[in-house]
Amino acid sequence: SLRLRRFVAISKAHVARIVAMAEAAAVPLLVVWVPAPDEMFPPVRVTAAMQLFELGRRMLRDMGDAAPAMTFADLSAIPHTPDWRRRQGTLRLSDGHFNAEGSAWYAALAAPALAEFLLRP
């Protein structure tokens, strides 16, 4: 929808400004996607939020491909197996932030992307 595309356009403008500052300072920039609860355990029907997440990830992926100073790590690809589904409600606090178990899960998920970014020449 037009409203979702406007949200993404505003986000793109903000990220573009950060990328420009990073490029001007010759500082590499890593942008890491933290999956929302709905991405971790998707609802039955596609929601506006899920559409927004997809548009946002696509925008960041495109920006990362185009901007030498920016690397985008999309950490939203989660295998939605029955074992994974059983973890719903165990990884986040009531306010949506990760609890200790969720933080450990996310750290393990993010570690390879962070190591690759930090260790590249």
Side-chain angles (χ1 to χ4, degrees), residues 39-103:
E39 290 176 290
M40 292 172 65
F41 302 97
V44 175
R45 293 190 177 136
V46 175
T47 63
M50 294 297 287
Q51 291 173 331
L52 180 61
F53 298 147
E54 179 56 37
L55 289 170
R57 283 193 314 275
R58 189 176 320 135
M59 175 267 297
L60 291 169
R61 201 170 21 253
D62 291 348
M63 290 183 78
D65 289 345
M70 178 183 156
T71 300
F72 175 57
D74 183 357
L75 301 183
S76 67
I78 298 167
H80 295 108
T81 63
D83 286 340
W84 174 252
R85 281 271 178 208
R86 283 192 278 280
R87 296 185 78 181
Q88 187 167 4
T90 66
L91 301 174
R92 292 187 180 267
L93 301 170
S94 61
D95 66 357
H97 289 89
F98 288 124
N99 60 20
E101 184 181 348
S103 293

Side-chain angles (χ1 to χ4, degrees), residues 6-52:
R6 284 183 182 162
F7 283 137
V8 173
I10 292 168
S11 297
K12 183 176 182 177
H14 283 94
V15 174
R17 177 73 175 124
I18 294 168
V19 169
M21 289 187 295
E23 287 176 345
V27 174
L29 176 67
L30 175 64
V31 176
V32 180
W33 188 269
V34 179
D38 280 357
E39 290 176 290
M40 292 172 65
F41 302 97
V44 175
R45 293 190 177 136
V46 175
T47 63
M50 294 297 287
Q51 291 173 331
L52 180 61

